[in-house]
Each structure stands twice: as structure tokens, then as C-alpha cells.
Amino acid sequence: MPEINGSAHEVNGTNGANGVSGAHGSNGANGIVPRPRSLTLVPVASEKQTTKDFKSDQEVRWCPGCGDYAILAAFQAFLPELQVPRENLVIVSGIGCSSRLPYYVDSYGLHSIHGRAPAIATGLAATRPDLSIWVITGDGDALSIGGNHLIHALRRNVNIKILLFNNRIYGLTKGQYSPTSEQGKVTKSTPFGSLDTPFNPVSLALGAEASFVARTIDSDRKHLTSVLRAAADHKGAALIEIYQNCPIFNDDAFLPVTDPSTRDDRLIRLEHGQPVRFGPDRSRGLRFSRYGSLEDVDATTADESSLLVHDAHATDPSYAFALSRLDTSDFAHSPIGILRSVERPSYDDLMNEQIATARERQGEGDLAALLAGGDTWHVS
């Protein structure tokens, strides 16, 4: 095991594409990005790391053309920026195609059970502040059986980073509709079309009071990496939805926002502190309607004061939620980037402070006395 240097550390890097900031929201002097704030208690690697250091000896096995390959490559290339020893990096997954990812990263990993990855990661974060913890999950894993665990991890603001691969289908079990499949979706389990109203993962996270919520796309590596960087810097729970293509069972599900001929009409690239502009010539803008929803307007003729300037740090999540509701099954308006990033205490910090206070007041305690004392009785 390499010697651990616990001193402050900085890593080389630059801001990502589309103005998504890295650690602390800006570059330091000479292009140096300060180490992510969420890693305060995590040891620093003693040697410079490369992408190769985070590639395991396992054969990467997904279907040809799967978007998971692109996400894995971006993730492995990003990890050296953290400067975290591999023994202090943990990747927890649930069940599904995406959840194979821990096998392919040379670190500690746990391929857990269906939907329970956020719960397991919560336990790790609460007891091991010296770890950098990442959760890998899919739309089926996280939003069906795992929905309860996901929303509670987010509302508690546990210091974990959740990457939700959304391909709008169950791929591992061969093409059933998922909680994010559009209504009317014809699949093996819905031969006459799905009747369910799909979840919007970003809206769900914001409704759970998540302190960091973002969206990106598997095929846009620069944007994906910049969002990973910002999530790593965030102290608390971070939810990143990644549009991910499944070429076998749901090919081109996100074609409107990935095809160069249509994406500029539909993608709304969010940049904190910048006017919200989109369209091929950036002539479109957003403003609030009478009842609080957002509407698409011609920015060249609308009243400038009524047009939105993106504020990812707005304390009230209503604005970010309104942004998330722009996203519809036809991708007419699809915000990507950081929708919300606000500061509030993390669950693991609060829990450890509470335990420390109790120890100061009552001492270390005696487990045997606790089990044998208090309300006990004998059964004859």
C-alpha cells in the first residue's frame, strides 16, 4: 500500500465544456483546480495517477455500441483528478447492465442487490469518512424497487455521488419497459403499449430536496466529465442523470438531443450566472409564465428583464424543478448541466457530530451494560 500524504493537494484540470465549473466553481492560478471539497477527510494518493491505474483486469462486456462503454471510459479518465488512493475509492452498484461497472474499475467495489446501492453507500459514508463513494445505478434499478432508498439518500444528503444511467428500458432482462419509458411504449412486457406515466429522474430528485442535481449525455464526454467534476466537489449527495443509449433494446431513444441536425433546437445548456439561451442561433430564451411554469420565447424580441439567467445556487428548489418540467418524452426542451447545487450539512457529518457530542456528555459507553440494563425481565 502506498504511503498516504494527508496534506492539501491540487490537481491539474480545466473547466468543462458549456461552462460547467469544476471544484469550487472556478479554476485556480495557472489552471490548477483545487482538490474537491467533499474529499476533505479522504487521504491523498502519494503518486500521480493515470487512467490506466483505474482499469481492472476484467474484460469489459456490454453489448456492442452500448453507451455504458463511453461512460466507463469518461469515468476512468476522470478518477485521477480526485487523487484518491484506490483503496479509498469505493464503487457500489445495484442490478442491471450499468451495475457491472465496479468490475471494470480497479478499486474497491460492491455489486449489491436490486435497488439497494444507495442504502449500502449510506452506511459506508456514515462510518467511513475516509472514502470517496460512488453509486452506479440504472433507471430500472434506482426508480423501481430502489426508489425508496434513492429518495431517502438524497433527502438525507449523504456524501455519495449517484450516477443514474437512464436508457428508458430494462436492458439486462431483455427489453421490458422501465419507470422512465414513455407512455405507450411497446415492449415485451407491454405489447399493447405502456400505460404508466414515466418518472422524470431529475424532477424526482428535486422533489426529494437533493442538494445537487444534474443531467448529461453519454456521447458528450466533455460535458459528462465537467459534471462529474462538479459533483465530486459537492459536499453531500449528488444525483447525475446520464442519458445512455441501449442500441439493442431501445436504440436512438435520445436521438433528438444527440443528432447534430436536431440537438441545438432542443438542448438547453445550463451555465450558472449566464442567460439561458438555446436554439441554433441562441435566439430562444425562457421566462416564467403566469402560473410559474417556464415558457420558450424569442429572446430577440422579449423584454430582457423577464428572461432567465441561470441560478444553480437558488435556495428554493422551485426554479430548478420548473426547469426539470421542460423535459418531455419528445425532448422538445431538454436542460442539461447542473440544475441545482446548494450547500447544506451532510447526513454523515451531522451523525458523527451527534455521536461525538454524546460521547463527550456520557463517555464511551458500555455495550454489555446497555444490553443488560434498563427495562429487562426474566421469563420463567
Side-chain angles (χ1 to χ4, degrees), residues 65-85:
C66 178
D68 289 355
Y69 285 102
I71 299 172
L72 172 64
F75 186 59
Q76 289 171 324
F78 158 74
L79 288 174
E81 291 190 25
L82 302 180
Q83 288 295 292
V84 171

Side-chain angles (χ1 to χ4, degrees), residues 211-270:
S211 58
F212 183 101
V213 180
R215 176 188 286 137
T216 186
I217 302 174
D218 60 0
S219 58
D220 190 338
R221 181 160 177 169
K222 287 185 178 180
H223 190 269
L224 170 57
T225 302
S226 64
V227 172
L228 291 174
R229 188 176 295 125
D233 185 55
H234 183 72
K235 180 65 173 175
L239 186 283
I240 303 173
E241 178 191 14
I242 306 174
Y243 285 164
Q244 177 252 322
N245 192 46
C246 174
I248 304 301
F249 297 108
N250 202 24
D251 195 22
D252 290 336
F254 302 104
L255 189 63
V257 293
T258 58
D259 189 321
S261 67
T262 58
R263 66 188 179 197
D264 289 339
D265 287 323
R266 299 165 182 267
L267 282 182
I268 302 175
R269 297 179 180 272
L270 301 173

Side-chain angles (χ1 to χ4, degrees), residues 41-43 87-88 90 108 121-133 159 348 351-352:
L41 300 179
V42 181
E87 59 269 26
N88 292 89
V90 181
Y108 280 114
T122 295
L124 274 173
T127 56
R128 292 289 303 273
D130 61 324
L131 300 178
S132 175
I133 303 168
N159 192 22
D348 29 314
M351 189 197 77
N352 287 315

Side-chain angles (χ1 to χ4, degrees), residues 262-271 275-287 294-300 307-308 323 326 331-336:
T262 58
R263 66 188 179 197
D264 289 339
D265 287 323
R266 299 165 182 267
L267 282 182
I268 302 175
R269 297 179 180 272
L270 301 173
E271 305 174 32
V276 180
R277 297 288 185 272
F278 56 98
D281 54 1
R282 296 180 61 81
S283 63
R284 311 302 297 176
L286 295 175
R287 69 183 179 194
L294 293 176
E295 58 184 9
D296 171 0
V297 296
D298 186 342
T300 63
L307 298 178
L308 285 184
L323 278 173
L326 289 168
F331 302 102
H333 302 92
S334 294
I336 64 170

Side-chain angles (χ1 to χ4, degrees), residues 48-62:
K48 183 179 179 180
Q49 298 166 317
T50 67
T51 300
K52 185 178 179 180
D53 292 322
F54 293 97
K55 292 184 177 181
S56 76
D57 61 358
Q58 300 299 300
E59 179 186 358
V60 181
R61 303 176 73 177
W62 284 304

